[in-house]
Amino acid sequence: FRLPFLPPGAARPVSPSFFPVLASCDNHAVEQVETRLTGCGVPAAEAASSAFWLVRAERFVSQFVSENECANRLDEAVHLRTQRIPVQYILGAWDFYGAPGLLVRPPVLIPRQETEGLVTLVLELLARFPAGLQFLDVGSGSGALTCSILRALPSATVAAIDISDEAVALTRDNVELQEVGARARVLKCSAVDICVDDLGLVDCLVSNPPYVPTSEVASAEPEVSCEDPRALEAGADGLDVVRQLLAAAPRVVRPGGLVALEVHCSHPELLAEYAVSGLVFGGSREDCYGLPRFVWWWVLSSLRPSSIV
């Protein structure tokens, strides 16, 4: 589908942060869109959020097109949302952590708000490490983690890998858009095939891997079906890819380095007891919704800072 709110002649969608703040006179338009969405089965909270963003986008594009064209574009966008197309795909861009206006395209996984907590965790755990850190982002998707880390750490470099051609292309587009492309290598590669000869040793392996148990996929909201299932489902217990990452970590992360993952809320308790040769479990942390979500390990070495655990 075309992007309804792409301004005429624009090469790419703009960051939602550029959308105008809604005035009180816009409340009726938001309510109308919300009513239409809930009437088509969109859950109330999602309908309210989507209506807010779609009307803000319509107000933005009204600067460039006629009133009738603007109304047609909003109607087109609302129709897409009634078909349970995620609002991020409809807008074509989404803000994530320190990377505003990340391009978002189906079927690449949409950056979630909770994943911003993984960036915060990694930056905190590595705060006392020297400059020039080298990262490996496994399953880069849109490049959200890669871009955020590179923008936060001006001397860092990232090797970003994904098995999806669409994800590799989107990560490449986003590192250039975020002006960090000179410090990023983006490759098509799986967690199983990580090769030290190609990538070199890194200081931190970071990943938001697939972690949804197979039994939960069927009950997911319809919007999830728009995303690549390879970025979501990970076997009966949701740990298939996590196990691959932990097995690979000691050979790709330097001694004293960090492995930090986002996982299913049922996983941190299990992983705290999961023995991995060459790794020591560091801890877990909740996401912005209060759910256990992030886990980390240190690669065994006497060089690991004893005060960072």
Side-chain angles (χ1 to χ4, degrees), residues 57-76:
E58 185 263 348
R59 296 299 184 259
F60 168 77
V61 82
S62 68
Q63 304 170 77
F64 310 101
V65 300
S66 69
E67 184 176 343
N68 284 341
E69 173 66 11
C70 209
N72 290 337
R73 289 183 179 221
L74 179 60
D75 183 69
E76 180 181 352

Side-chain angles (χ1 to χ4, degrees), residues 28-51:
H28 181 61
V30 173
E31 290 171 0
Q32 284 186 315
V33 172
E34 185 177 348
T35 299
R36 184 173 166 188
L37 294 177
T38 54
C40 292
V42 179
E46 287 291 320
S49 175
S50 296

Side-chain angles (χ1 to χ4, degrees), residues 101-114:
L102 280 174
L103 301 179
V104 182
R105 296 194 293 259
V108 180
L109 188 74
I110 295 166
R112 267 67 165 178
Q113 181 182 1
E114 56 265 36

Side-chain angles (χ1 to χ4, degrees), residues 157-170:
T157 59
V158 177
I161 66 173
D162 204 294
I163 61 172
S164 160
D165 289 323
E166 294 91 345
V168 168
L170 186 55

